[in-house]
Structure formats: structure tokens, C-alpha cells
Amino acid sequence: MGLRCGIVGLPNVGKSTLFNCLSSAKAEAANYPFCTIEPNVGVITVPDERIYNLAELIKPQKIVPTVIEFVDIAGLVKGASRGEGLGNKFLANIREVDAIIHVVRCFEDENVAHVGGKIDPVADKEILETELQLKDLESIDRRIQKTEKIANSGDAKAKKEMAVLEKAKLHLEAGKSIRSLQLGPLDVQILKNELQLLTAKPEIYVANVDENALEGNDYVNQLKDSIPDENREIITLSASLESQIVELDDEDKLMFLSEYGLRESGMNKLIRASYHILDLITFFTGGEKEVRAWTIRKGSKAPQAAGLIHSDFERGFIRAEVIKYVDYVFYKSEHACKEAGKMFIEGKEYVVKDGDVMFFRFNV
């Protein structure tokens, strides 16, 4: 689906180190601001053991997991909304992603310079949030200038749009991001789809700690206390530790994680959280040639799922034959599921569920 998460933050907070852990496309990591100028892009496999469990049963020629893109974006500084540092490039790059991974420094290291001179995760977080809000205000003001004259002439559609813009402007002027504003269908259409406001994008915070603070520290607590309820998630991890984990083979990785009392890497948690914050689910198709995981928006219907495979499937959709993942694993084959009454025939109104194993019937 081409969905992207942008990794953002101030310079020297660990963005590129984190990206290097996520992707085999290595971003240069150095101890000075603006080391990353052009955004690095990595296509990352979403960890999901279900596809491998299905493959064990189906024995396909190949396995195709679902993926998500991560973008390592240049560090932002105060004044970015006015073009300071690499502000214009930074903000343009954020506009192109679907979700924001906001890395905040929660570790001390005298060998790694802090752009503000001291460790202050709350102040760091607020710098970035403020710059995004200021840029959104700029976008809204331009749209108001364009719409106001039409609304004053009596145009009903423009009047409704002005109400949306004024509500959003007041919210931003109060220092709040658009994602914390209750949005109706018209709000979404204007603020998210048309204006692509930066603070409307879903966001995950990554508290980057040293390897001795994986359960958190005072900096992490300060960060958590400063975040209003905007349906955002905080993941605590050590990018430095993750960079060691990613170099290990599977067996050594499990031993290494066990030593730190971890069941899985922080990277896996972050990838899954990124997938979920975009409101995505996974369905599967399987046969002799391949078992494949497909990404689709939650709430999508069966013809849309078929269309991901081929546009002809959606146009000529007849029905979907659906087996729940748990049933497929329990009965161990498509035939056995069908015999047990665990294959369901669904029509055009069927809403795809996470983990569905689907077979589509269509007219060419």
C-alpha cells in the first residue's frame, strides 16, 4: 500500500541509529546536526509468526510477508517552520509520510552532543510539536484567505469549510495538535486529505534510553507526564542496544534478549506499533506457489481486499471463501476446514478481519 512512517526528532537523539536497526539500508550516524540530509528509506518486514505457521502447513514455493516503509528524516531545530536549519526540507519530508515516529533523547552521554546543551526530553518534544503546529497554522491561514471571500459571498460549501478551518486554527493556537481534535467527515477531508496537516498524522513516541534503563528512568517519566491523551503510544527502547541485537543470529538474539529480561526486541514492538497506529490489519492468501500476507485498512470490505491482489478481482468479485487463522492452524488444511464447516462464504459487504485466510472467486 506504500504506507510510510517518518522517524523524526532533534539532531543527535538516535534517529539514524534507530533506522539502521530497522533496515539493511544503513543511514550514516554521526555526532553532529544534519548528518542526515536526504531521507533514507527502508522497506521493513512486519514481524508476524502467523505467515510462517501457515507456510508450515501449506508448503508453498515462497513466503511473502507484509511490509512497511520507514523514512529517516533530517533532525529538526527550533525555527524550522521559518526555514531555520533544514526546516523546509524537514517539514516537506514529514508531509509525505503517513505516521510520525518521534524519537526523544532520554539518555546521558557526554560523548554525544545535545543541540540544546542539556538533556530535557519535555523541552525537546515541545520544540518539535511547536514547529509542526506553526507550520499547520501557516497552511490554515493560507486556506482561510482563499476561502473567506467565497464564504462571504454566501457560498454554503465555503461557509462549512470556514467553520472547520476556524475550529482547527483555535485548536492549534491553544498549543494543541490536530490529532487531539474530534474530527468529523468534513474535518478529515479538509484537514487530513486536502491540507495534509502535519499534526493530524498519527504519532508514536520512542523514548531512547541507555541499556541500563530499559524499564524507564526519570527522563522517560517526565516525557510520559507531558503527553496529553491524544491516543499516542510511547515505546521505551535503547537504540544502542538494538544496534547490537540486530547483528546477531536468531539463536544468539534470544539468549541476548533473555539476559536483559526481554521477550522480544524493541524493534519488533516499534514495527508492530507503527503498523497498528496506521489502522492496518493483515489478511492472508495461500496456495502451492506462495503464502502471502496483505496489508489493508481496518474496516475494508472483501472486494477491496480482492482488489489488492488484482484490480480485475475487485471488478469481477463474486464471493470470498474465508477461514479464520486459528481454524486453519487447528484443522491444518483448507480441505479439513471445509469439511469441519469452518470455511465461510462471504459477499461484497463482508468486512475483512485481521488474520483472515481468504480465497476469492471472480468473473474475468
Side-chain angles (χ1 to χ4, degrees), residues 6 9 16 34-35 43 99 112 117 135 144 153 160 170 177 180 202 214 229 242 282 289 296 318 332 335 340 356:
S16 293
F34 315 129
C35 170
V43 180
V112 180
K135 198 65 179 178
I144 286 175
S153 72
K160 289 180 181 179
L170 287 173
S177 295
S180 67
L214 296 176
D229 182 15
E242 296 293 330
T282 301
K289 289 186 177 180
I296 197 167
I318 299 173
K332 302 189 183 308
H335 178 74
D356 280 352

Coordinates of all heavy atoms in Angstrom, one line a residue, residues 6 9 16 34-35 43 99 112 117 135 144 153 160 170 177 180 202 214 229 242 282 289 296 318 332 335 340 356:
G6 N 7.6 8.2 9.2 CA 8.8 9.0 9.2 C 9.4 9.1 10.6 O 8.7 9.4 11.6
G9 N 12.8 13.9 15.0 CA 13.3 14.3 16.3 C 14.4 15.4 16.1 O 14.8 15.8 15.0
S16 N 19.0 8.1 13.4 CA 19.6 7.3 12.3 C 20.1 5.9 12.9 O 20.1 4.9 12.2 CB 20.8 8.0 11.8 OG 20.4 9.2 11.0
F34 N 22.3 17.5 11.4 CA 22.1 17.5 9.9 C 23.0 16.5 9.2 O 23.3 16.6 8.0 CB 22.3 18.9 9.3 CG 21.6 19.9 10.0 CD1 22.3 21.1 10.4 CD2 20.3 19.8 10.5 CE1 21.6 22.1 11.1 CE2 19.6 20.8 11.2 CZ 20.3 21.9 11.5
C35 N 23.4 15.4 9.9 CA 24.1 14.3 9.3 C 23.3 13.7 8.2 O 23.7 13.4 7.1 CB 24.5 13.3 10.3 SG 25.1 11.8 9.6
V43 N 12.5 -0.5 3.5 CA 11.3 -1.3 3.5 C 11.4 -2.5 4.5 O 12.3 -3.3 4.3 CB 11.0 -1.9 2.1 CG1 9.7 -2.7 2.0 CG2 10.9 -0.7 1.1
A99 N 2.6 8.4 9.1 CA 2.7 8.4 10.5 C 4.0 8.9 11.0 O 5.0 8.8 10.2 CB 2.4 7.1 11.1
V112 N 28.1 12.4 23.2 CA 27.1 12.7 22.2 C 26.5 14.1 22.5 O 25.8 14.3 23.5 CB 26.0 11.7 22.1 CG1 25.0 12.0 21.0 CG2 26.6 10.3 21.9
G117 N 22.2 21.7 24.6 CA 23.2 21.9 25.7 C 22.9 21.1 26.9 O 23.7 20.9 27.8
K135 N 3.7 25.4 11.5 CA 3.6 25.1 10.0 C 2.1 24.8 9.6 O 1.6 25.3 8.6 CB 4.4 23.9 9.6 CG 4.7 23.8 8.1 CD 5.6 25.0 7.7 CE 5.9 25.0 6.2 NZ 6.6 26.2 5.8
I144 N -7.6 29.9 4.7 CA -8.7 30.8 5.1 C -8.7 32.0 4.2 O -9.8 32.5 3.8 CB -8.4 31.3 6.6 CG1 -8.8 30.2 7.5 CG2 -9.2 32.6 6.9 CD1 -8.5 30.5 9.0
S153 N -19.5 35.6 0.2 CA -20.4 35.8 -0.9 C -21.7 35.0 -0.7 O -22.6 35.1 -1.5 CB -19.8 35.5 -2.2 OG -19.6 34.1 -2.3
K160 N -19.2 26.2 5.4 CA -18.9 25.0 6.2 C -17.4 24.8 6.3 O -16.9 24.4 7.3 CB -19.5 23.8 5.5 CG -21.0 23.7 5.6 CD -21.6 22.5 4.9 CE -23.1 22.4 5.0 NZ -23.7 21.2 4.3
L170 N -8.1 27.7 16.1 CA -8.2 27.9 17.5 C -7.5 26.8 18.3 O -6.9 27.1 19.3 CB -9.7 28.0 17.9 CG -10.4 29.3 17.5 CD1 -11.9 29.2 17.9 CD2 -9.8 30.5 18.3
S177 N -2.3 19.8 19.1 CA -2.2 19.2 17.8 C -3.5 18.8 17.2 O -4.4 18.4 18.0 CB -1.2 18.0 17.8 OG 0.1 18.5 18.1
S180 N -5.6 15.6 18.4 CA -6.3 15.6 19.6 C -7.7 16.3 19.4 O -8.5 16.3 20.4 CB -5.6 16.3 20.7 OG -5.5 17.7 20.5
P202 N -1.0 10.4 12.8 CA -0.8 9.6 14.0 C 0.7 9.6 14.4 O 1.6 9.7 13.5 CB -1.3 8.2 13.6 CG -1.2 8.2 12.1 CD -1.5 9.6 11.6
L214 N 16.0 0.2 30.6 CA 15.0 -0.4 29.7 C 13.6 -0.3 30.3 O 12.6 -0.4 29.6 CB 15.4 -1.8 29.3 CG 16.7 -1.9 28.4 CD1 17.0 -3.4 28.2 CD2 16.6 -1.2 27.1
D229 N -3.6 13.1 26.4 CA -4.2 11.9 25.9 C -4.6 12.2 24.4 O -5.7 12.7 24.1 CB -5.5 11.6 26.7 CG -6.1 10.3 26.2 OD1 -5.5 9.6 25.4 OD2 -7.3 10.1 26.6
E242 N 19.7 -2.0 20.7 CA 19.1 -2.6 19.5 C 20.1 -2.8 18.4 O 20.0 -3.8 17.6 CB 17.9 -1.8 19.0 CG 16.8 -1.7 20.0 CD 16.0 -3.0 20.2 OE1 16.0 -3.8 19.3 OE2 15.5 -3.2 21.3
T282 N -4.0 -7.4 8.7 CA -3.4 -8.3 7.8 C -4.3 -9.5 7.5 O -4.9 -10.0 8.4 CB -2.1 -8.9 8.4 OG1 -1.2 -7.9 8.7 CG2 -1.4 -9.9 7.4
K289 N 2.0 -22.0 -4.9 CA 3.0 -21.1 -5.3 C 3.5 -20.2 -4.2 O 4.7 -19.9 -4.1 CB 2.5 -20.2 -6.5 CG 2.3 -20.9 -7.8 CD 2.0 -20.0 -8.9 CE 1.9 -20.7 -10.2 NZ 1.5 -19.8 -11.3
I296 N -4.2 -4.1 4.7 CA -5.4 -3.4 4.3 C -5.9 -2.6 5.5 O -5.6 -2.9 6.7 CB -6.5 -4.5 3.9 CG1 -7.6 -3.8 3.1 CG2 -7.0 -5.2 5.1 CD1 -8.5 -4.7 2.4
I318 N -17.1 -12.1 -7.0 CA -18.3 -12.8 -6.8 C -18.5 -13.1 -5.3 O -19.6 -12.8 -4.7 CB -18.3 -14.2 -7.6 CG1 -18.2 -13.9 -9.1 CG2 -19.5 -15.0 -7.2 CD1 -18.0 -15.2 -9.9
K332 N -5.5 -27.7 10.1 CA -4.2 -27.9 9.3 C -4.3 -27.9 7.8 O -3.3 -28.2 7.1 CB -3.6 -29.2 9.8 CG -3.3 -29.2 11.3 CD -2.4 -30.4 11.7 CE -2.2 -30.4 13.2 NZ -1.6 -29.2 13.7
H335 N -8.9 -28.1 3.0 CA -9.9 -29.2 2.9 C -10.5 -29.5 4.2 O -11.7 -29.7 4.4 CB -9.3 -30.4 2.2 CG -10.2 -31.5 2.1 ND1 -11.2 -31.6 1.2 CD2 -10.3 -32.7 2.8 CE1 -11.9 -32.7 1.3 NE2 -11.3 -33.4 2.3
A340 N -15.0 -29.4 8.1 CA -15.5 -29.1 9.5 C -16.4 -28.0 9.6 O -16.9 -27.6 10.7 CB -14.3 -28.8 10.4
D356 N -7.7 -13.2 8.7 CA -8.5 -14.0 7.7 C -7.6 -14.6 6.7 O -6.7 -14.0 6.1 CB -9.5 -13.1 7.0 CG -10.8 -12.8 7.8 OD1 -10.9 -13.4 8.9 OD2 -11.6 -12.0 7.4

